[in-house]
Amino acid sequence: QEKKIFAVQGPYPVIRSLLRARGWVERKLPGTGRLGSRPEQHHSSQEKQLQEEEEEEEGGPPSAQSRLVQDQVPYFIWTNRHGAVDCRLLRQDQVVNHYARVGAFTTKEGLCLNLRNLPWFDQADPDTFFPRCYRLGATDERQAFIEDFRLTAARSLLKAALERAGDVLAGTEQPPKSAPRVAQQVPRSHVPHPMSSTAGPGPPLPPQLVEEALQVCEQHLGSLGHQDIDGNPPSPLMTGTDWDRFLRDYYRVVHEGAGLALSGAQRERCQALLRCLAGRLPQLGMEGDRNVWILKPGAKSRGRGIVCAVRLEEVLRLATGCMAPSVRAGEWVVQKYVERPLLIFGTKFDIRQWFLVTDWNPLTVWFYRESYLRFCSRPFSLRRLDPARHLCNVSIQKQCRPARGRHPRLPPDQTWSCRQLQAYLAQVGRAGAWHQVMVPGMKAAVVGALRSAQDLVGSRKGSFELYGADFIFGEDCQPWLLEINASPTMAPSSAVTGRLCASVQRDTLRVVIDRRDDPTCPTGAFELIYKE
């Protein structure tokens, strides 16, 4: 009569315990089959075996109360598999922890595609929080990526030339703290042909290489300023063959250490041009100067199949080699790698940030005030692109051996809580960064991603869903959204995640169950951040 019958599919002991403490009774489910209709009276031997395995995992067979409700409809359903719930079969008074068609923002290709539509819904610019991304299976996006890679190489060449000459350009990027600045007076343009040559094997490459990069970037700046909006787009300055030669020389400079000649006039043009581009390109600072891109399977999780690449032909070859005839177009995405991340003791990390959606119409979003960091097992280096240094996923790092001489203050289990991050930031003189930059940026990114996909998700009044967003921070503490996960893992991998995963499940039930009966009840660490 009180409709306190629940069903849980999968190992969620915290959810089971919390519901039973509220007086709910569990209707045990077989390991297979869909939820939403009355249970079948007869099960196959395979279903019985799966049920026995789950019962053993949960601590025993159904209780007497559970047996009494086996023929009853569960009014609260929690499962970790979207396929286990067919929302079309559910009654209006059944609550389930999933929505339909959330792949619009929980797959890499969905997020890549739909965030471009954000300016239609909001004044927010996705380039301020989501590294630019392309679906390589779509012909137009593949070509757009090639053009982006070339332009990024041109900008990167200018930045590399200035950095090697000892200049630090305000507003774009800072050199690593370990890199000494070269004390060198900037030659004036009226001095006849002053040259600044960067060190490297063999003779320096001619100033013409820098001149080409300057012209390309100047034309790009003009297009960003809409100078060509009323006329035909300017003719390309370089052909495909020219770009192939330019990229070969760029690789020699940036990746092989070749010298580069830079005139005094070019130096001043580089500085002025990059300052102007910094005002137009929100990602100029984080993109670095090595043109690293990360190739991701569009619909996989836990870091599977992800590789980093620094050469255009390598990215295109990897994507083509990975694509089997059965793989649908657009599944592989390539994304600009954040080359200037915030590091802790020289090590890269990302952060898992939970949020909860309790309605899509009107869109209602709750942000969790607790989160956790995941560290790589080896020091960050752009000269070595192995997973141990660049992929923070727990499933990847547990296969990697920690580096010798690892900083003693880094956690052995590779995880920190966000409170430990805040303490660290206070120690290094950035106490206000968490509340003033990081959290507001993550909230804005979450709401932006949801608004861009809102019209595509299957809205249902009796549903809710908990998501896990992964962010990385730039050197300036600006958050960059990497991906959003449906059904984020609740399996504890450390003491930190054991505590936080239990607390987020507890507080989720406070929002979706307790608050229905008492709108003023505490919601734990959940904060309502958006309601249309």
Side-chain angles (χ1 to χ4, degrees), residues 346-474:
T347 304
K348 181 183 173 181
F349 67 94
D350 70 6
I351 194 164
R352 168 60 58 88
Q353 177 62 60
W354 291 299
F355 64 93
L356 178 69
V357 176
T358 53
D359 204 339
W360 283 93
N361 186 22
L363 180 59
T364 307
V365 188
W366 301 76
F367 187 88
Y368 206 60
R369 285 188 287 262
E370 301 286 346
S371 50
Y372 65 92
L373 282 63
R374 304 176 299 189
F375 286 89
C376 285
S377 54
R378 291 184 173 270
F380 180 80
S381 170
L382 290 173
R383 299 185 183 278
R384 298 181 180 181
L385 299 178
D386 52 292
R389 303 175 193 276
H390 297 279
L391 302 184
C392 303
N393 308 70
V394 173
S395 56
I396 296 292
Q397 291 302 322
K398 68 182 182 183
Q399 303 173 27
C400 302
R401 181 178 300 176
R404 292 182 179 178
R406 180 177 166 88
H407 195 285
R409 290 184 60 187
L410 286 170
D413 58 9
Q414 319 285 36
T415 55
W416 263 8
S417 69
C418 65
R419 295 180 184 273
Q420 290 173 289
L421 171 61
Q422 293 173 63
Y424 168 81
L425 291 171
Q427 292 172 3
V428 297
R430 306 176 85 168
W434 178 253
H435 292 292
Q436 296 171 12
V437 181
M438 295 173 162
V439 170
M442 288 192 290
K443 289 178 178 178
V446 164
V447 172
L450 297 178
R451 292 198 67 190
S452 71
Q454 184 176 2
D455 292 342
L456 303 173
V457 175
S459 177
R460 179 181 179 274
K461 287 299 180 183
S463 292
F464 68 94
E465 191 154 16
L466 179 69
Y467 303 98
D470 293 338
F471 287 92
I472 189 173
F473 300 105

Side-chain angles (χ1 to χ4, degrees), residues 36-54:
S37 58
R38 294 180 68 85
E40 297 292 335
Q41 298 300 314
H42 303 286
H43 304 296
S44 67
S45 58
Q46 183 182 11
E47 288 175 329
K48 289 180 179 178
Q49 181 180 354
L50 286 168
Q51 183 174 8
E52 290 170 359
E53 290 175 359
E54 189 168 279

Side-chain angles (χ1 to χ4, degrees), residues 28 74 80 206 523:
K28 296 283 186 174
N80 63 348
T523 56

Side-chain angles (χ1 to χ4, degrees), residues 113-349:
L113 179 63
N114 292 304
L115 267 176
R116 295 175 192 156
N117 300 324
L118 180 59
W120 292 100
F121 303 97
D122 201 331
Q123 294 183 345
D125 180 1
D127 281 347
T128 61
F129 63 82
F130 185 63
R132 53 195 189 273
C133 187
Y134 302 91
R135 300 175 301 150
L136 291 178
T139 303
D140 57 338
E141 293 194 34
R142 182 186 180 95
Q143 186 58 39
F145 160 67
I146 293 172
E147 294 173 4
D148 191 337
F149 187 97
R150 290 168 173 173
L151 285 171
T152 305
R155 293 193 297 270
S156 298
L157 184 78
L158 301 185
K159 288 190 277 188
L162 284 179
E163 187 171 336
R164 291 188 185 186
D167 293 332
V168 178
L169 194 62
T172 56
E173 57 183 344
Q174 298 294 325
K177 291 183 173 56
S178 59
R181 283 193 59 179
V182 180
Q184 188 173 355
Q185 186 69 30
V186 178
R188 298 300 176 188
S189 57
H190 64 266
V191 179
H193 304 294
M195 302 295 287
S196 174
S197 176
T198 62
L205 295 175
Q208 180 60 26
L209 185 64
V210 176
E211 187 63 31
E212 289 177 334
L214 281 165
Q215 291 179 11
V216 166
C217 290
E218 285 167 349
Q219 185 183 71
H220 184 220
L221 179 62
S223 67
L224 292 172
H226 304 293
Q227 293 178 4
D228 58 346
I229 194 168
D230 295 324
N232 295 324
S235 301
L237 293 173
M238 297 203 294
T239 65
T241 302
D242 293 334
W243 273 114
D244 291 343
R245 189 237 337 127
F246 177 88
L247 289 178
R248 285 195 298 271
D249 289 342
Y250 165 75
Y251 298 148
R252 287 182 58 197
V253 172
V254 173
H255 302 301
E256 300 170 18
L260 183 66
L262 183 68
S263 72
Q266 287 177 332
R267 189 170 181 173
E268 293 187 352
R269 285 171 65 196
C270 284
Q271 292 172 324
L273 183 54
L274 287 173
R275 286 194 182 95
C276 290
L277 285 170
R280 298 281 186 178
L281 301 175
Q283 300 186 16
L284 184 68
M286 71 81 162
E287 73 182 15
D289 62 10
R290 297 183 68 82
N291 213 359
V292 182
W293 291 75
I294 187 163
L295 186 68
K296 306 177 181 182
K300 289 189 177 181
S301 60
R302 301 194 297 276
R304 293 173 294 175
I306 295 178
V307 292
C308 295
V310 294
R311 297 174 187 258
L312 178 59
E313 63 273 16
E314 183 182 6
V315 174
L316 299 179
R317 176 181 56 80
L318 285 169
T320 304
C322 290
M323 282 186 183
S326 60
V327 177
R328 59 194 175 92
E331 180 164 350
W332 291 85
V333 302
V334 64
Q335 188 169 36
K336 185 63 190 77
Y337 188 71
V338 179
E339 296 186 30
R340 296 284 187 171
L342 178 65
L343 303 177
I344 295 179
F345 306 122
T347 304
K348 181 183 173 181
F349 67 94

